[in-house]
Amino acid sequence: MMIGSLLKEYRLKQNKSQRKFIGSIVTQSYYSKVEKNISQVTADNLIGLLQYNNISVQEFFNSFSQKSDNSYRQTKELENMMIEAYYTNNIEQMHNIRDRKIVCVRMNYSLI
């Protein structure tokens, strides 16, 4: 997970528009690009946004770390399943895993 995606998640949890979430810390145009992971947010602006929205820096980075760990575990799980299907020559299983991995990437690594 990227920082911009996590910021968006927190913003939506608080039921705020981008404008209300950013106050006067950054421009809405810039922040929109941060949420889309097109631009990177500076440390100063990130801390400012977190403080402005009463989000603990520690809580934010713990969430970020947990989501990254989950993505890594899910990716490894799919890789292991693919290796097993390959060595058992299970072509149908490989296609199913490939399709599942594509869906996972589109859904931000949420296994379905």
Side-chain angles (χ1 to χ4, degrees):
M1 171 165 272
M2 304 287 287
I3 288 177
S5 300
L6 190 55
L7 282 169
K8 181 177 182 178
E9 191 175 301
Y10 272 90
R11 178 179 65 80
L12 294 175
K13 281 182 188 175
Q14 292 185 4
N15 231 6
K16 290 183 178 179
S17 66
Q18 287 183 345
R19 185 162 308 285
K20 288 185 179 182
F21 191 78
I22 62 173
S24 60
I25 298 166
V26 294
T27 66
Q28 186 174 358
S29 170
Y30 169 73
Y31 181 74
S32 176
K33 292 176 185 174
V34 169
E35 276 195 0
K36 293 175 185 174
N37 299 306
I38 295 170
S39 294
Q40 295 180 352
V41 65
T42 66
D44 287 343
N45 287 337
L46 175 60
I47 291 169
L49 289 167
L50 296 177
Q51 289 175 342
Y52 181 76
N53 290 285
N54 299 313
I55 301 166
S56 143
V57 174
Q58 182 177 1
E59 173 192 340
F60 182 82
F61 282 104
N62 283 343
S63 294
F64 182 76
S65 176
Q66 288 171 354
K67 290 181 184 293
S68 294
D69 289 347
N70 287 340
S71 295
Y72 176 78
R73 277 194 297 278
Q74 291 169 348
T75 300
K76 291 310 267 178
E77 178 184 337
L78 286 172
E79 287 174 0
N80 290 336
M81 291 168 62
M82 183 64 93
I83 289 168
E84 182 180 339
Y86 174 80
Y87 283 112
T88 59
N89 202 25
N90 189 337
I91 304 298
E92 184 179 342
Q93 181 69 12
M94 286 191 281
H95 288 290
N96 290 339
I97 294 166
R98 179 201 62 205
D99 295 342
R100 187 175 175 191
K101 192 169 189 173
I102 290 169
V103 170
C104 290
V105 169
R106 287 185 184 150
M107 295 184 69
N108 206 15
Y109 294 98
S110 298
L111 286 176
I112 58 170

